[in-house]
Amino acid sequence: MDEASLAVVAKKRMADTVKRRLASLGILRTSMKVFSDDKYVYFPVKRVPNPDELPELITGDALIQEANFDKLVPKPKTLKEAMMGVLDEKLMELVPRSFDIIGNVAILELNEGLRPFAKDIASALKLVHKHVDTVLLKTGPSTGEYRIRPYDVIAGSGNTLTEHREHGCKYRLDVREVFFTPRLSGERLRVASQVRPNECVADMFAGVGPFSITIARMQPSCKIYAFEINPTAYKFLEENIKLNKVEDRVTAIFGDVRHNYRILEKKANRLVMNLPFSADKYLDVAIRLAAPSGAIVHFYGAAQDENAVETVKVNVSSIINSLGFNAKFLWAKELKEVAPRKVVVALDIAISMR
Ligand SMILES: C[S@@+](CC[C@H](N)C(=O)[O-])C[C@H]1O[C@@H](n2cnc3c(N)ncnc32)[C@H](O)[C@@H]1O
């Protein structure tokens, strides 16, 4: 008990009625905790209600007295708020404003100075996001063919198998075993909303299926071929196709897209090339997959200079031209800084045979 207040004390059987009346009068103090004993419930109030406002004062079902109440500590709304008072001002500036949450796994990226406080920050994050179980700390970049990142578990059970929801779709995945980023959720919607009925789409680097499945759910008449080389990602891709009930529209193909592109029954009108650091090496495969009359390529590339968009465009158009196709750039955007001076670029490209 740490603060005295005027209280309305109601007989237990009348407590709900009294609470409703006090709340509608706007005199209930919400910063203090209501408590009860064997017979009565104690409500902290801002002023004494009139008997005509609270008839229970006349019938003897409620009375007014002073009581001591516990203060209610408001739940922090952000990670920064939750860390207030734990770190000094300088360190507080380093606390990240944003972080990724995939299902019930949160992923933190921390400045060196905050590393000694990683566990405190992870606990604070769990306080703000109650549904989060495991908190991971990024310990390196996404690398290798499978684009997997190393992490340390800094809070929770350490279970990284989870189910993530996005745009009404569900994705089962293991954060440690496959590539997945919620930061591309806007891109998935942008690409899927361009797809027209009956298109044939090739998702050349499909991962656990977020582009393919978003497209399949938004445009049910489409046929989508989803290629994936990581056996674990492929297993989740197959599972997610079933989970989202798009088996009739999405075909998952295991292995290197370079060796499997012939599987398509017809040529693709649209291609998704989400492999930023090496998609350019697969433009020749894209051209073999694409309808010669024309196709749209959603290309994700990376560059290290200030004119990332221009650099990627020049590289892509010279490769496409050398393969006997024209490239017309329809749209371009810098997506995010993935490492110092490295920028991922999204391009929509119309390609057609010369
Ligand atoms: C950057 S991730 C993108 C995954 C997915 N499109 C997404 O948005 O979450 C690239 C994926 O392509 C797969 N991959 C890499 N090289 C491949 C290849 N040659 N053929 C098929 N898949 C490949 C990786 O295993 C990885 O899952």
Side-chain angles (χ1 to χ4, degrees), residues 187 190-191 194 270 296-300 328-332 346-350:
E187 265 306 290
R190 189 187 70 78
V191 167
Q194 290 181 38
R270 191 174 296 273
I296 303 292
V297 180
H298 301 286
F299 182 91
Y300 298 87
K328 185 176 167 202
F329 295 101
L330 306 175
W331 181 90
L347 299 176
D348 288 356
I349 316 164

Side-chain angles (χ1 to χ4, degrees), residues 199-249:
E199 278 189 9
C200 175
V201 180
D203 185 1
M204 293 172 65
F205 312 101
V208 300
F211 276 97
S212 293
I213 290 167
T214 311
I215 294 170
R217 298 276 297 197
M218 283 178 70
Q219 213 35 281
S221 62
C222 281
K223 176 73 207 163
I224 299 142
Y225 294 90
F227 298 87
E228 177 52 48
I229 202 168
N230 170 355
T232 311
Y234 175 77
K235 178 182 81 71
F236 286 118
L237 171 63
E238 279 196 308
E239 213 175 304
N240 292 329
I241 290 170
K242 289 195 192 111
L243 195 61
N244 290 280
K245 300 187 173 54
V246 291
E247 303 97 307
D248 57 334
R249 284 154 259 171

Side-chain angles (χ1 to χ4, degrees), residues 38-59:
D38 287 352
K39 290 186 180 157
Y40 299 102
V41 180
Y42 296 72
F43 296 103
V45 288
K46 296 175 192 163
R47 67 165 172 81
V48 178
N50 300 322
D52 56 334
E53 291 174 323
L54 188 66
E56 287 73 15
L57 290 174
I58 302 168
T59 58

Side-chain angles (χ1 to χ4, degrees), residues 145-146 179 188 205-207 210-211 228-229 255-257 274 282:
E145 198 169 40
Y146 302 166
F179 175 96
R188 296 194 265 262
F205 312 101
F211 276 97
E228 177 52 48
I229 202 168
D256 188 336
V257 63
N274 179 19
Y282 290 86

Side-chain angles (χ1 to χ4, degrees), residues 12-24:
K12 270 198 161 162
R13 64 182 170 79
M14 295 307 289
D16 284 346
T17 312
V18 168
K19 187 181 179 186
R20 266 198 304 278
R21 287 199 214 282
L22 297 176
S24 69

Side-chain angles (χ1 to χ4, degrees), residues 100-107 151 162-164 173 175 180-182:
D100 292 340
I101 297 185
I102 303 174
N104 59 3
V105 178
I107 301 171
Y151 300 103
T162 191
E163 187 175 301
H164 183 75
L173 66 125
V175 177
F180 184 87
T181 173

Side-chain angles (χ1 to χ4, degrees), residues 88-338:
D88 67 29
E89 231 172 84
K90 243 183 166 176
L91 288 173
M92 278 302 289
E93 279 171 24
L94 303 176
V95 175
R97 280 180 201 287
S98 66
F99 40 84
D100 292 340
I101 297 185
I102 303 174
N104 59 3
V105 178
I107 301 171
L108 274 172
E109 196 167 0
L110 292 181
N111 178 290
E112 273 305 318
L114 286 180
R115 292 289 172 101
F117 306 95
K119 282 192 193 300
D120 302 302
I121 296 170
S123 308
L125 190 152
K126 279 167 67 93
L127 205 67
V128 180
H129 296 275
K130 294 271 188 217
H131 76 286
V132 166
D133 166 28
T134 297
V135 183
L136 300 177
L137 177 68
K138 283 185 189 173
T139 55
S142 300
T143 54
E145 198 169 40
Y146 302 166
R147 310 307 300 159
I148 293 171
R149 193 188 277 281
Y151 300 103
D152 280 346
V153 176
I154 49 172
S157 68
N159 180 16
T160 48
L161 175 67
T162 191
E163 187 175 301
H164 183 75
R165 282 165 192 254
E166 183 186 283
H167 310 314
C169 306
K170 301 175 219 167
Y171 303 106
R172 268 177 60 77
L173 66 125
D174 190 325
V175 177
R176 280 172 172 278
E177 306 268 337
V178 302
F179 175 96
F180 184 87
T181 173
R183 295 181 193 197
L184 285 179
S185 104
E187 265 306 290
R188 296 194 265 262
L189 207 56
R190 189 187 70 78
V191 167
S193 61
Q194 290 181 38
V195 180
R196 304 274 71 92
N198 300 310
E199 278 189 9
C200 175
V201 180
D203 185 1
M204 293 172 65
F205 312 101
V208 300
F211 276 97
S212 293
I213 290 167
T214 311
I215 294 170
R217 298 276 297 197
M218 283 178 70
Q219 213 35 281
S221 62
C222 281
K223 176 73 207 163
I224 299 142
Y225 294 90
F227 298 87
E228 177 52 48
I229 202 168
N230 170 355
T232 311
Y234 175 77
K235 178 182 81 71
F236 286 118
L237 171 63
E238 279 196 308
E239 213 175 304
N240 292 329
I241 290 170
K242 289 195 192 111
L243 195 61
N244 290 280
K245 300 187 173 54
V246 291
E247 303 97 307
D248 57 334
R249 284 154 259 171
V250 185
T251 302
I253 301 135
F254 174 59
D256 188 336
V257 63
R258 178 170 294 285
H259 302 132
N260 292 310
Y261 68 90
R262 286 187 192 84
I263 213 157
L264 260 67
E265 283 147 17
K266 57 178 184 171
K267 295 278 184 178
N269 313 103
R270 191 174 296 273
L271 300 103
V272 182
M273 299 186 74
N274 179 19
L275 187 64
F277 291 92
S278 20
D280 55 349
K281 316 264 181 327
Y282 290 86
L283 280 166
D284 61 321
V285 182
I287 274 163
R288 280 177 220 147
L289 282 163
S293 55
I296 303 292
V297 180
H298 301 286
F299 182 91
Y300 298 87
Q304 264 181 308
D305 57 58
E306 281 176 9
N307 288 320
V309 167
E310 274 321 301
T311 307
V312 177
K313 274 185 180 177
V314 168
N315 179 35
V316 165
S317 70
S318 90
I319 297 173
I320 293 178
N321 291 341
S322 73
L323 294 163
F325 272 62
N326 283 322
K328 185 176 167 202
F329 295 101
L330 306 175
W331 181 90
K333 194 182 173 192
E334 282 185 8
L335 287 188
K336 60 181 176 186
E337 211 175 78
V338 290

